[in-house]
């Protein structure tokens, strides 16, 4: 739920292609530039990341960059964390998207390039003392609000607090200043009707009149459950209750158009902590038909894990669908944040990946670098990249985990190579203006109306890739 928004180029002599090779046979995984195809697609389009640098550094716009902890000076031959430098990864080759293949060729990066990425990654690690302080403040505020909300309205009496987002997925970068909290409300016997052809937005209505008559005030004349009315009632309770929290200065931020969140701002000098409160309905019923072909994790996490996930409850967040002819605020959007959190936490193809006695991988490191790259580019080009958010790179990362499912494809020593694979896939999606929702295949997260923005970001990422990612170091 985060938002997504140089120095001289190194000469590159020659290119090399070679796809990552996992153990055993994998359906839909890329083998080589000529054979890297997604399931169900015969031909491939080629996206070249090797783009000559033609533009100079533009004038900086937007807000000033946040400063992360300074990188430690590392002696030659030493990786971040004090360990011996890991072997240089191979160059990136076939980079398929969800349906087609793209190839990206680079000369194998020198050891200094791989080491530089590890230095950047070490800067993104959150200081433990800062995390502890921020977490304590959030734990002091949110449970107080939850208790008050339960007592103020009978419809909200059963809400439960549930954590979500990058902080709780352990992929938060730079500062522990943003938290996502879902207030989950169990609902029974509801009917879902699609509000458009994305398969993501729905109207919610009760199959029978709810026993709790307090629900009636949130229903429209046609029986639809109004997300707008529920959010407004919740906001009013929170605005009153924050005044009663002692020892912490808390305010409610101004409402953002179309946002499903009620944002709290907690003073934590010299900065402040932002907490997004997200109203969520939980229904224990089958997932909608639009999700049947999604969550293709059989080769990555296994068939049993996919089946277990699909038996989990449906989550719906109060989110306005901008494609409605008449915007009334009655729509709810499917949310899979609870599933995404578990996939990122238990990310290994083997059951011991990144456990204390298991081999370490670089999956989370790649996701952090993807988020950081987009964040830095958004600060540099705020107007051009305003419509991009961290969920775009998170979705691209999950697709990458499916295409390269084995833990050996993400060996810790191959950080540079694996990061380039993820980037190559994301660039290919941008060039095609096609990024499939991980759980809802018919839903394209990249609007075809924004092709110029997609191509702009594609060019900027390609320039960063071919010049050693100067944007990673501009503000440090």
């Amino acid at each position: 739920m985060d938002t997504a928004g140089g120095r001289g180029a190194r000469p590159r002599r020659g290119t090399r292609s070679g796809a990552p090779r996992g153990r055993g046979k994998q359906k839909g995984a890329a083998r080589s530039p000529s054979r890297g195809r997604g399931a169900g697609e015969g031909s491939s389009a080629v996206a070249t990341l090797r783009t000559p640098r033609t533009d100079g550094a533009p004038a900086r716009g937007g807000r000033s960059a946040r400063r992360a902890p300074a990188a430690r000076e590392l002696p030659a031959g030493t990786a971040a964390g004090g360990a011996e430098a890991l072997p240089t990864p191979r160059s990136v080759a076939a980079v398929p998207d969800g349906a087609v293949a793209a190839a990206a060729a680079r000369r194998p990066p020198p050891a200094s390039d791989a080491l530089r990425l590890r230095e950047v990654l070490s800067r993104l690690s959150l200081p433990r003392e800062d995390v502890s302080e921020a977490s304590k403040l959030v734990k002091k505020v949110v449970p107080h609000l939850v208790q008050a909300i339960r007592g103020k309205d009978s419809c909200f009496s059963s809400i439960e607090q549930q954590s979500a987002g990058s902080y709780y997925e352990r992929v938060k970068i730079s500062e522990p200043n943003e938290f996502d909290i879902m207030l989950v409300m169990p609902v029974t016997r509801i009917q879902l009707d699609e509000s458009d052809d994305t398969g993501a937005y729905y109207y919610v209505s009760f199959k029978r009149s709810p026993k709790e008559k307090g629900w009636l005030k949130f229903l429209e004349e046609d029986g639809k459950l109004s997300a707008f009315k529920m959010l407004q009632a919740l906001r009013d309770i929170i605005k009153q209750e924050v005044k009663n929290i002692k020892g912490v200065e808390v305010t409610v931020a101004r409402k953002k158009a179309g946002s499903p969140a009620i944002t709290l701002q907690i003073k934590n000098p010299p900065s402040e902590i932002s907490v997004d409160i997200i109203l969520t309905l939980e229904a224990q019923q089958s997932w909608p038909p639009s999700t049947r072909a999604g969550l293709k994790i059989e080769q990555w996490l296994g068939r049993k894990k996919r089946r277990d996930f699909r038996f989990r409850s449906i989550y719906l967040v109060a989110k306005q669908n901008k494609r409605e002819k008449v915007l009334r605020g009655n729509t709810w959007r499917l949310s899979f944040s609870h599933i995404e959190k578990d996939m990122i936490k238990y990310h290994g193809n083997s059951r011991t990946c990144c456990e204390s006695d298991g081999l370490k991988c670089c999956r989370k490191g790649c996701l952090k670098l993807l988020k950081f790259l987009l964040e830095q580019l958004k600060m540099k080009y705020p107007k051009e990249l305003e419509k991009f958010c961290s969920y775009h790179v998170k979705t691209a990362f999950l697709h990458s985990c499916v295409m390269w499912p084995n833990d050996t494809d993400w060996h810790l020593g191959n950080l540079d190579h694996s990061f380039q694979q993820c980037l190559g896939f994301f660039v290919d999606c941008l060039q095609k203006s096609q990024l499939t929702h991980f759980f809802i295949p018919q839903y394209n997260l990249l609007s075809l109306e924004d092709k110029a923005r997609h191509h702009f970001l594609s060019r900027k990422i390609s320039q960063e890739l071919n010049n050693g990612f100067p944007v990673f170091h501009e503000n440090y």
Side-chain angles (χ1 to χ4, degrees), residues 55-119:
D55 60 339
R60 186 181 303 272
R63 51 184 183 165
S64 60
R66 294 182 297 176
R67 296 186 64 87
R72 292 174 295 175
E73 290 295 326
L74 299 174
T78 303
E84 184 177 347
L86 295 164
T88 304
R90 296 177 297 171
S91 63
V92 69
V95 184
D97 67 4
V100 294
R106 280 188 82 209
R107 175 177 63 82
S112 58
D113 281 6
L115 181 58
R116 192 175 297 120
L117 277 184
R118 293 187 181 89
E119 291 175 350

Side-chain angles (χ1 to χ4, degrees), residues 66-69 123-127 130 171-177 372 375-376 379 476:
R66 294 182 297 176
R67 296 186 64 87
R123 290 202 305 259
L124 299 181
S125 297
L126 302 180
D130 292 350
V171 291
K172 185 75 180 73
I173 59 174
S174 302
E175 297 177 37
N177 60 354
F372 186 53
E375 181 183 275
Q376 294 297 98
M379 285 193 285
Y476 299 102

Side-chain angles (χ1 to χ4, degrees), residues 40 45 64 80 83 135 213-214 283 309 331 354 366 408 416-417 428 457 469:
S64 60
S135 182
K213 299 307 178 184
F309 282 150
T331 53
C354 287
C366 287
T408 51
D416 186 273
H417 171 64
D428 186 58
L457 179 56
F469 303 103

Side-chain angles (χ1 to χ4, degrees), residues 145-154 156-157 237:
L145 290 178
V146 170
Q147 195 64 32
I149 292 167
R150 286 173 179 164
K152 290 292 175 82
D153 193 310
S154 58
F156 297 136
S157 62
I237 294 173

Side-chain angles (χ1 to χ4, degrees), residues 95-96 370 374 388-389 392-393 396-397 400 420-431 434-435 446 457-458 461:
V95 184
L370 288 169
L374 185 57
F388 291 97
C389 65
H392 289 114
V393 294
F397 167 75
S400 297
Q420 289 182 41
Q421 282 187 150
C422 293
L423 267 187
F425 168 72
F426 186 46
V427 166
D428 186 58
C429 292
L430 292 169
Q431 291 174 343
Q434 181 69 38
L435 177 58
L446 298 177
L457 179 56
S458 169
I461 291 177

Side-chain angles (χ1 to χ4, degrees), residues 222-463:
D222 57 4
K224 292 186 178 70
L225 183 61
S226 171
F228 172 79
K229 288 181 179 179
M230 292 192 72
L231 266 182
Q232 189 60 49
L234 187 63
R235 172 181 283 273
D236 290 343
I237 294 173
I238 291 175
K239 285 181 71 174
Q240 289 298 318
E241 194 57 35
V242 294
K243 301 173 184 177
N244 300 325
I245 300 176
K246 306 298 182 184
V248 185
E249 185 178 345
V250 187
T251 56
V252 179
R254 182 176 295 180
K255 188 188 304 182
K256 298 177 185 176
S259 172
I262 299 169
T263 303
L264 307 179
Q265 292 174 329
I266 305 174
K267 290 292 184 183
N268 185 31
S271 60
E272 65 181 20
I273 299 168
S274 173
V275 181
D276 281 348
I277 304 292
I278 303 155
L279 176 63
T280 309
L281 304 180
E282 178 185 14
Q284 294 184 345
Q285 61 190 55
S286 299
W287 290 15
S290 63
T291 66
R292 283 175 187 159
L295 191 61
K296 303 300 291 182
I297 61 173
E298 291 91 341
Q299 298 298 318
W300 171 28
L301 299 177
R303 285 186 175 87
K304 183 180 183 301
K305 182 59 69 175
R306 182 180 190 271
R307 186 171 62 251
D308 291 345
F309 282 150
R310 287 187 59 84
F311 275 125
R312 303 267 286 271
S313 301
I314 301 171
Y315 278 17
L316 297 134
V317 298
K319 174 67 175 176
Q320 182 172 294
N321 184 2
K322 296 180 181 178
R323 295 175 59 173
E324 279 189 301
K325 292 181 180 178
V326 180
L327 298 178
R328 300 180 63 183
N330 290 347
T331 53
W332 300 79
R333 188 186 64 194
L334 288 176
S335 170
F336 302 92
S337 58
H338 55 315
I339 309 292
E340 293 162 357
K341 183 169 70 172
D342 279 357
M343 285 195 298
I344 292 174
K345 185 176 181 180
Y346 305 106
H347 52 256
N349 179 257
S350 68
R351 298 295 177 263
T352 59
C353 183
C354 287
E355 292 185 0
S356 57
D357 56 346
L359 293 175
K360 309 299 181 197
C361 79
C362 64
R363 286 183 179 92
K364 285 189 177 182
C366 287
L367 179 53
K368 285 183 177 182
L369 289 171
L370 288 169
K371 287 160 61 75
F372 186 53
L373 177 60
L374 185 57
E375 181 183 275
Q376 294 297 98
L377 289 174
K378 275 179 66 70
M379 285 193 285
K380 195 169 183 178
Y381 310 105
K383 184 178 180 180
E384 295 87 346
L385 303 181
E386 63 181 348
K387 291 193 175 182
F388 291 97
C389 65
S390 64
Y391 196 72
H392 289 114
V393 294
K394 182 180 182 180
T395 300
F397 167 75
L398 291 175
H399 282 301
S400 297
C401 288
V402 168
M403 289 184 292
W404 295 285
N406 293 331
D407 297 339
T408 51
D409 299 328
W410 300 85
H411 190 276
L412 188 60
N414 290 343
L415 174 65
D416 186 273
H417 171 64
S418 298
F419 178 51
Q420 289 182 41
Q421 282 187 150
C422 293
L423 267 187
F425 168 72
F426 186 46
V427 166
D428 186 58
C429 292
L430 292 169
Q431 291 174 343
K432 295 179 177 69
S433 292
Q434 181 69 38
L435 177 58
T436 301
H437 192 286
F438 193 72
F439 297 82
I440 310 170
Q442 69 194 58
Y443 183 21
N444 180 15
L445 296 178
L446 298 177
S447 172
L448 298 179
E449 299 174 357
D450 296 320
K451 281 189 174 182
R453 297 175 188 268
H454 306 157
H455 293 165
F456 179 88
L457 179 56
S458 169
R459 291 194 302 272
K460 295 306 172 186
I461 291 177
S462 298
Q463 290 162 9

